[in-house]
Amino acid sequence: MANVNKSVTVTIPAPGRIPFSFHWLQKLLKQTVVMMVLLFLWEVAPRMGLVDQTFFPPFSIVAEGWWGLAVSGDLYDHFLASILRSLSGFGLAILIGIPLGLVIGWYPLANELLNPVLELFRNTAALALLPVFILLLGIGETSKIAIVIFACLFPILLNTINAVRNVDLLLIRSAKSMGLGSTQLFYKVILPASIPTIFTGIRMSGSASILVLIAAEMVGAKEGLGYLISYTQMNFQIPEMYAGIITIALLGLILNFMLVSIEKKLSKWKENANG
Amino acid sequence: MTDKIQFNHVSKVFTIRDSNERKNGIKEFTAINNVHFSVKVGEFLTLVGPSGCGKSTLLDLLGGLTKPTSGQILIDGKPIKGPGLDRGIVFQQYALFPWKTAMGNIEFGLEAKEIPKKERTEIARHFLALVGLSGFENRYPHELSGGMKQRIAIARSLAYEPDVLLMDEPFAALDAQTRETLQTELLRIWEKTKKTIIFITHGIDEAVYLGERIAVMTSRPGTIKQMIQNPIHSRNLDEDIRSTPGFAQARHQIWDLLREEVHQSQAFERKNETA
Ligand SMILES: Nc1ncnc2c1ncn2[C@@H]1O[C@H](COP(=O)(O)OP(=O)(O)OP(=O)(O)O)[C@@H](O)[C@H]1O
Ligand SMILES: [Mg+2]
């Protein structure tokens, strides 16, 4: 009997663990290969004349342009300008959106009164309002941060309201049955139950903050990645333009990665569909 | 023995929207009508009745989650004012807080009772062991099986030491084997803790196996149709009472009582559908 037990506990984890780490490595390898193939195509297609080299330079030339911008410090300045704007707008939207959403979600009357207004704003594309923001706030930092706030606010606000309103009634009843008053109920049930949904809103806002900001910077700015792209395009510095685009993609990737990791940590109690 | 719980001619009427009438038509809907019975200190009462007859409503009233339309419910001779830690509810759908671990869930009611952290942990561990789940302290609900979740829910209700345990079909969603194990476990716990238990069930076998007395309800609007003193309730947990003639007899009696009611409610529903 003891013998059987021993052989079971020893053999099961051993073959289980090796393929697992192997699997992980394999995945990384596959993804790298796909990436390399794409970059290779980017390199080869223009050189073979499949696309126009002037408008679509090979990857090595773009990389060279990127390096030039990086070394001169220009890229850093533009990057910094963009990230400061997007983070301040994004941060302010979080600071406004979550408390406001909690209040609106918690009080049925507030929800009833504000719902039509929110629906209207939600369905207004932020960029459509850009001219209004510029008219009212000028083309300086204020209007850019304001439009980022506007774009970020609605995903956060609406997700927070939804989260609060959709807390499982059974959990509320269960907590009430243990004698929790409304303040305690809010802190111990409503808030923790809402966090994953709220964070989905935050993540959506993260991508919106970059998207809207870049567009705003393309329209009117003196620095920032959006400005860099439109400026280099107009001056026919095509490799530099692509360098700007790549930087934005990287910025988006980093931001999303950070938000996803925080989200994972905060919702580790949730059933994970991806295993 | 003294009465722990008294239902004095309790009725509950819900107002519901009436789809047949004009848009704003509301209809009165009697869920339970003139329920009158009492439960002794330390008694194990099971409650059976056709679906929709108001069993859960009865439990909500007892838990203080809703108020009776007429009549009075007394606990220890005093009318119920609202929810409280003197009663513990085990809901049919577990109602565990998904963001809390097994331990965190069991500690929830203790937190509401403002018991210091160290003591809380000790108590929670004790009850975790009582339901046979030592070693599962840090599991989240989604990492537990249905039967384990239900045991955690029972441990949570037991942990803050309510005098009365209210259980709403707690084992309905489990497979037969797990159900029988938990039934036996519940009887053990009951003998150990001497709590007053009201246990709602659909299962006649379950009602006869667990109850010292069995209350059979009529179809909607529910009232107590008959109180049956369970003849076979001489508790020897090691004996298989399910195969005794007394068990079969009590089972048959309840089955007959319920059959009338089920027929009646089906006829009622059919009439409603054609109307
Ligand atoms: N909040 C409510 N508003 C209106 N009607 C309700 C409400 N709660 C329950 N009812 C109605 O009261 C009746 C009794 O409901 P209840 O949930 O108590 O039945 P039950 O006996 O527990 O049924 P089941 O065995 O299916 O769980 C049902 O017809 C239900 O539709
Ligand atoms: Mg029910």
Side-chain angles (χ1 to χ4, degrees):
Chain A
M1 226 13 215
N3 222 349
V4 172
N5 271 340
K6 209 171 204 174
S7 72
V8 168
T9 44
V10 172
T11 49
I12 284 179
R17 212 169 285 158
I18 291 171
F20 178 71
S21 58
F22 201 62
H23 197 81
W24 184 81
L25 240 161
Q26 251 181 352
K27 198 174 142 193
L28 190 75
L29 201 74
K30 274 185 207 157
Q31 286 172 344
T32 316
V33 167
V34 171
M35 206 64 184
M36 297 306 274
V37 168
L38 274 179
L39 289 182
F40 178 75
L41 282 178
W42 185 352
E43 184 65 35
V44 167
R47 288 194 190 282
M48 295 204 329
L50 293 175
V51 285
D52 192 335
Q53 268 212 44
T54 12
F55 301 123
F56 198 85
F59 176 70
S60 57
I61 308 233
V62 172
E64 223 169 274
W66 190 88
W67 185 246
L69 278 173
V71 168
S72 73
D74 282 359
L75 191 62
Y76 177 74
D77 291 341
H78 291 302
F79 183 80
L80 196 67
S82 285
I83 202 155
L84 282 181
R85 285 169 186 150
S86 105
L87 284 187
S88 30
F90 183 39
L92 284 170
I94 290 175
L95 288 182
I96 301 166
I98 294 179
L100 195 61
L102 291 173
V103 170
I104 296 175
W106 188 233
Y107 296 103
L109 183 67
N111 188 57
E112 211 174 297
L113 292 177
L114 291 173
N115 197 36
V117 185
L118 291 178
E119 273 307 309
L120 185 68
F121 275 122
R122 183 176 75 136
N123 289 304
T124 309
L127 284 176
L129 290 175
L130 185 57
V132 182
F133 277 83
I134 291 176
L135 277 178
L136 291 177
L137 302 168
I139 61 160
E141 293 305 299
T142 330
S143 72
K144 276 176 213 68
I145 293 177
I147 194 144
V148 172
I149 294 177
F150 183 87
C152 290
L153 188 62
F154 288 94
I156 296 174
L157 189 62
L158 292 162
N159 270 285
T160 309
I161 294 172
N162 252 328
V164 174
R165 291 176 57 83
N166 289 323
V167 175
D168 192 347
L169 199 65
L170 186 69
L171 295 181
I172 295 177
R173 275 155 44 91
S174 171
K176 273 189 184 165
S177 81
M178 286 183 258
L180 263 69
S182 27
T183 318
Q184 270 194 318
L185 188 69
F186 185 81
Y187 284 107
K188 294 199 157 177
V189 180
I190 307 292
L191 209 54
S194 303
I195 282 174
T197 315
I198 294 178
F199 219 87
T200 307
I202 292 182
R203 199 160 39 78
M204 287 160 70
S205 291
S207 11
S209 78
I210 292 176
L211 178 84
V212 169
L213 177 70
I214 300 302
E217 284 175 345
M218 288 172 90
V219 175
K222 285 180 225 68
E223 53 178 354
L225 292 171
Y227 165 76
L228 174 69
I229 295 170
S230 67
Y231 171 86
T232 47
Q233 187 233 3
M234 276 190 285
N235 290 287
F236 226 69
Q237 298 170 294
I238 302 302
E240 281 77 11
M241 180 191 87
Y242 281 104
I245 294 173
I246 289 178
T247 312
I248 289 166
L250 288 177
L251 174 64
L253 215 61
I254 292 168
L255 188 68
N256 196 54
F257 177 77
M258 283 182 348
L259 292 175
V260 168
S261 354
I262 299 173
E263 188 177 17
K264 257 192 195 152
K265 225 169 236 162
L266 286 178
S267 11
K268 66 170 185 283
W269 51 269
K270 273 221 146 171
E271 249 162 310
N272 191 350
N274 310 320
Chain B
M1 258 197 273
T2 47
D3 284 340
K4 182 73 191 173
I5 299 162
Q6 271 177 280
F7 274 77
N8 282 337
H9 304 284
V10 174
S11 300
K12 175 73 187 179
V13 178
F14 291 111
T15 46
I16 53 168
R17 286 181 309 279
D18 189 357
S19 47
N20 292 332
E21 303 257 323
R22 293 155 284 118
K23 261 195 173 168
N24 283 329
I26 44 172
K27 200 165 70 171
E28 294 210 322
F29 180 96
T30 309
I32 58 170
N33 186 28
N34 197 20
V35 167
H36 191 81
F37 71 99
S38 56
V39 184
K40 294 186 191 71
V41 174
E43 189 179 16
F44 200 135
L45 179 85
T46 49
L47 192 80
V48 285
S51 183
C53 75
K55 301 183 295 294
S56 299
T57 307
L58 210 81
L59 217 68
D60 279 0
L61 288 166
L62 204 45
L65 295 171
T66 50
K67 290 201 177 69
T69 313
S70 68
Q72 216 179 16
I73 306 168
L74 307 177
I75 289 195
D76 294 322
K78 279 173 279 199
I80 287 176
K81 288 222 178 64
L85 289 162
D86 57 331
R87 286 147 285 154
I89 303 185
V90 179
F91 294 92
Q92 181 175 354
Q93 309 91 332
Y94 319 130
L96 294 179
F97 302 108
W99 57 88
K100 289 201 169 265
T101 59
M103 279 289 270
N105 266 287
I106 300 178
E107 284 181 38
F108 195 88
L110 301 169
E111 272 174 51
K113 222 176 167 181
E114 295 183 347
I115 290 172
K117 171 77 190 148
K118 208 173 147 233
E119 212 175 316
R120 230 158 53 202
T121 314
E122 242 163 65
I123 298 173
R125 261 183 219 293
H126 168 75
F127 281 96
L128 200 65
L130 188 73
V131 295
L133 285 178
S134 296
F136 290 87
E137 284 82 359
N138 298 318
R139 296 280 191 101
Y140 286 96
H142 80 264
E143 300 167 323
L144 297 167
S145 75
M148 289 173 173
K149 279 186 230 179
Q150 199 53 277
R151 277 189 266 179
I152 298 290
I154 292 170
R156 178 177 65 183
S157 296
L158 289 170
Y160 54 85
E161 302 273 343
D163 298 336
V164 180
L165 206 54
L166 307 170
M167 309 181 85
D168 193 353
E169 303 189 31
F171 306 149
L174 306 175
D175 64 281
Q177 242 124 5
T178 315
R179 189 183 310 137
E180 282 187 17
T181 316
L182 288 186
Q183 284 168 352
T184 316
E185 234 169 282
L186 181 63
L187 284 177
R188 282 226 167 84
I189 291 169
W190 173 61
E191 282 180 351
K192 229 189 261 180
T193 57
K194 295 284 170 252
K195 295 201 185 308
T196 310
I197 299 182
I198 295 189
F199 188 105
I200 291 175
T201 176
H202 262 127
I204 300 176
D205 280 22
E206 189 168 61
V208 179
Y209 181 68
L210 292 174
E212 285 183 294
R213 268 196 308 161
I214 302 146
V216 181
M217 286 182 75
T218 64
S219 54
R220 203 184 58 75
T223 49
I224 304 293
K225 185 182 170 90
Q226 199 163 331
M227 274 286 182
I228 298 166
Q229 192 70 44
N230 194 349
I232 52 104
H233 206 280
S234 59
R235 297 252 139 255
N236 180 359
L237 290 177
D238 301 322
E239 188 192 356
D240 184 14
I241 64 158
R242 288 185 178 89
S243 54
T244 60
F247 189 91
Q249 200 195 326
R251 193 184 182 289
H252 192 74
Q253 190 185 356
I254 295 167
W255 196 78
D256 273 342
L257 287 169
L258 278 178
R259 193 179 49 176
E260 291 169 27
E261 292 307 321
V262 171
H263 276 183
Q264 219 165 307
S265 74
Q266 274 173 354
F268 180 80
E269 259 157 41
R270 233 174 277 134
K271 205 180 77 191
N272 257 10
E273 259 164 40
T274 49

